[in-house]
Amino acid sequence: METLSAFAGKVWCVRKQLVVLLAPLALIPVVFALPAKEGKCLYVVLLMAVYWCTEALPLAVTALLPICLFPTMGVLTSKKVCPQYFLEPNFLFFSGVVMASAIEEWNVHRRIALKVLNIVGVKPVWLILGMMITSSFLSMWLNNTATTAMMLPIANAILENLFGDLEKLKENCKLKEDEEAGLSQIKLQALTSEKQILTEDGQEGAERHDKRTPEEVRAESEYQLKVWKGFLLCIPYASSIGGTATLTGTAPNLILMGQLTSFFPDCDLVNFGSWFVFGFPLMVLFLLLGWLWISFLYGGLNARLCVRKQDWQADAERKAKAVIDEDYKKLGPMNFAEGAITFFFILFAVLLFTRDPKFFPGWSIFFNKGYVSDAVTGVVIISLLFVFPSQKPSLSWWFDFHSTNTQYIPLLSWKKVQGSVSWNIILLLGGGFAMAKGCEESGLASWLGTHLQPIARVPPPVAVILITAFVACFTEFASNTATIIILLPIITELAINIKVNPLYFMIPATTGCSFAFMLPVSTPPNSIAFASGHLMVKDMVKTGFMMNILGILTVSLAVNTWGTYMFGLSTYPDWAQSLNVTSTTTDVYNLTTSYLNATA
């Protein structure tokens, strides 16, 4: 028995290497189960899916497999595969990341966060709302992970001043040691150092003198511990929700844009402006529902801290408010660089939104049609950041020959960009576009679509709910980028075969893959919150299950109301008509593909 256990331990140590070696062999029958080209393409897709789900290889390395396998297996030529890695959505994503780097470089994001918290106040119910509003807004432009890593230390510092030391709360609740053993012991260095900065003047709030009975102390401590957990959960959840509001907010949105261009070159409905008009109301509605659910579940709506307020509670709130005020004062007045970044950030958002919002003529009408895109707009703005000075220019400096010669420093340096750009995400985007191209050219997408005909009997509104639910469940265990890369071509072909507007299925699938709330491994923001050591898996499952349901219903409502109006989802569009014939026979599919290639 000991030998078997030791052998199992060794196998576990090399599990990733075994997956890398055995998965290609196990999937070989797929090549012969389908027509030649479709089988080879499915082999590559399944192999990438296995590697992505198990993380046997780094996600970005797996994304490079189409370059290796599509040409060698005769699925797609290298001249068609390689360009997919730097399409227009990649540059839009790049411009968004560079703008986020500039915002972080000059602490504009922290100023925004503290200002919002200062406005909403420190009552738990409103503070949860303030945390969620701030996190969601920042994650529309910044990386979700960076937003969560920044907001959690602020939340912990405020809570320590509001409720006292967390360990003291646990002691008051008389938590058992075996319950504590289930908590993660990983501590983030950034979270700890930030908490020390914010709480250096607030340690006095941990010790309170009150006349409560032990039972009252215990009940209050249990309640406060619940509120604490609510804070830790609301930040990563709001970060994931906020990313759905803009095209650059999360990678799956850009995957949709890229695959839409690949499958339907004539479709120009989805751009930054039109997506924002659809996604922002969806984000606001879901954020409101999520706030009500988290506040209800973890006590934020309880009357004890919202209506009836004892003296010690009022004193704690004053101290927590003082922490926010003091930390905001430490930032000092807005300097020239912060003002410049704020200006370029607003310009970035406004120009992207007004380029071609679809419901009114945008400024792109002043250029040749199809020449200026969102990517062009973004790159133009971020290029100015490398030129614009970080200090206020002075004309007198040129004529004062006794003044010191100071080196010219722009708002952003390339060195900073190199360290902050998520190059792995850019490769993931490229891998997704390459996979979609392979599915389209080989006929695999068409083959899969014809074998999903039973779903055609399901009413489209019900199909939207089922698709969103399936994608949301799938992405609990896999990267949301990998999830949408794998599933979107299949969903697209399904819509074509049942003659439903492809966007009617593609949009909820794309949005739904950002709704992963139930497990620590589902998203990096979830992992960061769990790593604080104060959450258990059951806390996330209990809260995230209802969040998933609320997200699915909200997406369904959005797609069937203002989404239908925005994108014309109630009719089968002309830009999808030409691909309808792909569902009949492989010969007709190949003929259509040849025609599209010739006219591209």
Side-chain angles (χ1 to χ4, degrees):
M1 191 66 181
E2 292 181 1
T3 304
L4 183 61
S5 177
F7 178 75
K10 292 184 180 296
V11 171
W12 180 254
C13 290
V14 296
R15 64 191 183 280
K16 290 187 177 181
Q17 289 79 3
L18 290 176
V19 171
V20 172
L21 294 175
L22 298 179
L25 300 177
L27 292 173
I28 287 179
V30 173
V31 177
F32 304 100
L34 275 70
K37 214 168 185 180
E38 290 90 333
K40 293 175 182 178
C41 184
L42 183 60
Y43 174 84
V44 176
V45 171
L46 292 179
L47 184 63
M48 293 176 69
V50 170
Y51 286 170
W52 268 329
C53 293
T54 60
E55 295 189 18
L57 290 175
L59 298 181
V61 175
T62 302
L64 295 173
L65 287 182
I67 297 179
C68 305
L69 298 180
F70 278 167
T72 55
M73 298 181 71
V75 176
L76 213 59
T77 64
S78 60
K79 290 184 179 181
K80 291 183 177 181
V81 176
C82 293
Q84 304 301 314
Y85 285 80
F86 281 96
L87 294 178
E88 183 179 309
N90 296 76
F91 285 98
L92 179 58
F93 173 77
F94 175 75
S95 65
V97 172
V98 172
M99 178 57 69
S101 301
I103 292 173
E104 293 177 10
E105 176 75 6
W106 296 103
N107 253 351
V108 175
H109 61 315
R110 185 172 178 80
R111 186 179 292 275
I112 295 172
L114 292 172
K115 189 64 177 178
V116 172
L117 295 178
N118 201 351
I119 293 172
V120 299
V122 291
K123 283 186 173 65
V125 63
W126 300 117
L127 199 52
I128 287 177
L129 179 61
M131 288 288 179
M132 295 185 74
I133 290 174
T134 307
S135 300
S136 60
F137 175 77
L138 292 176
S139 65
M140 288 166 58
W141 316 100
L142 306 182
N143 181 276
N144 296 352
T145 306
T147 299
T148 304
M150 185 200 73
M151 292 298 297
L152 279 176
I154 298 175
N156 276 276
I158 294 171
L159 288 169
E160 284 203 354
N161 282 272
L162 192 60
F163 297 146
D165 184 66
L166 179 61
E167 297 303 325
K168 184 66 178 294
L169 289 181
K170 292 179 180 179
E171 182 182 337
N172 292 339
C173 294
K174 297 181 181 180
L175 296 178
K176 297 179 182 179
E177 289 295 326
D178 57 343
E179 293 176 336
E180 294 296 315
L183 298 176
S184 170
Q185 298 301 314
I186 302 172
K187 303 295 182 182
L188 294 177
Q189 182 178 0
L191 188 149
T192 304
S193 60
E194 187 76 20
K195 184 167 64 178
Q196 290 173 349
I197 294 173
L198 291 172
T199 60
E200 58 186 2
D201 298 323
Q203 297 298 330
E204 297 176 0
E207 298 293 334
R208 304 188 188 92
H209 177 71
D210 57 65
K211 299 179 180 180
R212 294 172 295 167
T213 65
E215 291 76 15
E216 291 175 334
V217 171
R218 174 177 177 140
E220 198 68 42
S221 297
E222 288 177 348
Y223 167 69
Q224 292 169 355
L225 192 61
K226 286 177 60 179
V227 173
W228 203 305
K229 289 183 178 182
F231 274 84
L232 294 178
L233 288 171
C234 77
I235 292 172
Y237 289 176
S239 297
S240 297
I241 295 170
T244 62
T246 61
L247 272 182
T248 56
T250 185
N253 295 353
L254 293 169
I255 291 288
L256 167 67
M257 181 181 175
Q259 294 201 7
L260 194 63
T261 303
S262 177
F263 277 100
F264 311 106
D266 296 331
C267 178
D268 62 347
L269 292 177
V270 177
N271 57 44
F272 190 94
S274 62
W275 182 270
F276 185 83
V277 173
F278 169 78
F280 185 75
L282 170 62
M283 181 203 76
V284 172
L285 179 59
F286 190 16
L287 202 68
L288 178 61
L289 295 175
W291 168 60
L292 292 174
W293 168 242
I294 293 174
S295 297
F296 168 76
L297 191 63
Y298 291 96
L301 291 179
N302 191 297
R304 282 181 296 179
L305 287 186
C306 296
V307 178
R308 181 170 59 86
K309 183 163 60 178
Q310 300 179 11
D311 292 339
W312 68 266
Q313 293 170 332
D315 183 60
E317 288 183 8
R318 282 194 297 269
K319 290 182 178 180
K321 184 73 161 55
V323 169
I324 299 175
D325 292 338
E326 180 64 25
D327 208 50
Y328 187 79
K329 289 179 182 178
K330 287 180 181 179
L331 295 176
M334 181 175 287
N335 57 34
F336 178 80
E338 290 176 331
I341 288 296
T342 303
F343 168 76
F344 281 113
F345 168 62
I346 295 173
L347 184 65
F348 178 83
V350 170
L351 289 181
L352 283 175
F353 177 75
T354 58
R355 183 189 67 84
D356 186 19
K358 300 304 178 186
F359 58 91
F360 68 84
W363 55 262
S364 61
I365 61 173
F366 298 108
F367 299 88
N368 292 336
K369 186 177 180 180
Y371 276 65
V372 179
S373 65
D374 287 336
V376 174
T377 308
V379 172
V380 167
I381 298 299
I382 64 168
S383 298
L384 298 176
L385 300 178
F386 296 95
V387 179
F388 201 84
S390 59
Q391 296 179 354
K392 187 176 181 179
S394 173
L395 186 61
S396 61
W397 177 80
W398 288 94
F399 301 99
D400 186 359
F401 299 103
H402 297 289
S403 61
T404 57
N405 294 329
T406 56
Q407 187 177 1
Y408 171 82
I409 301 176
L411 287 172
L412 194 61
S413 66
W414 183 251
K415 184 177 181 180
K416 168 66 178 177
V417 171
Q418 279 185 309
S420 58
V421 170
S422 304
W423 301 105
N424 59 323
I425 300 297
I426 291 179
L427 290 178
L428 267 176
L429 291 173
F433 300 148
M435 179 187 288
K437 191 69 173 178
C439 292
E440 177 192 357
E441 295 271 345
S442 67
L444 175 63
S446 176
W447 184 88
L448 290 172
T450 57
H451 286 75
L452 292 174
Q453 286 297 330
I455 303 180
R457 294 192 289 268
V458 178
V462 177
V464 166
I465 295 177
L466 294 178
I467 289 171
T468 310
F470 175 76
V471 172
C473 292
F474 193 93
T475 196
E476 294 285 353
F477 307 96
S479 160
N480 59 355
T481 307
T483 298
I484 202 64
I485 287 173
I486 295 168
L487 298 179
L488 201 55
I490 301 173
I491 292 170
T492 303
E493 198 63 38
L494 170 65
I496 292 174
N497 276 273
I498 64 177
K499 294 187 177 180
V500 171
N501 190 317
L503 286 175
Y504 189 66
F505 286 171
M506 296 171 75
I507 290 175
T510 301
T511 308
C513 76
S514 294
F515 296 161
F517 305 112
M518 291 179 60
L519 297 174
V521 298
S522 299
T523 65
N526 288 8
S527 301
I528 292 175
F530 187 77
S532 65
H534 310 315
L535 290 172
M536 301 179 72
V537 174
K538 67 178 183 181
D539 296 323
M540 282 194 165
V541 173
K542 177 175 65 174
T543 312
F545 179 75
M546 179 57 70
M547 289 290 292
N548 278 2
I549 293 177
L550 291 174
I552 292 167
L553 296 178
T554 306
V555 170
S556 178
L557 174 66
V559 169
N560 287 287
T561 52
W562 68 86
T564 299
Y565 171 77
M566 275 295 306
F567 301 110
L569 302 180
S570 59
T571 59
Y572 193 73
D574 293 336
W575 46 262
Q577 294 283 355
S578 60
L579 295 182
N580 241 358
V581 294
T582 58
S583 61
T584 55
T585 63
T586 304
D587 292 337
V588 176
Y589 171 82
N590 291 332
L591 179 62
T592 306
T593 302
S594 300
Y595 170 76
L596 291 175
N597 290 337
T599 56

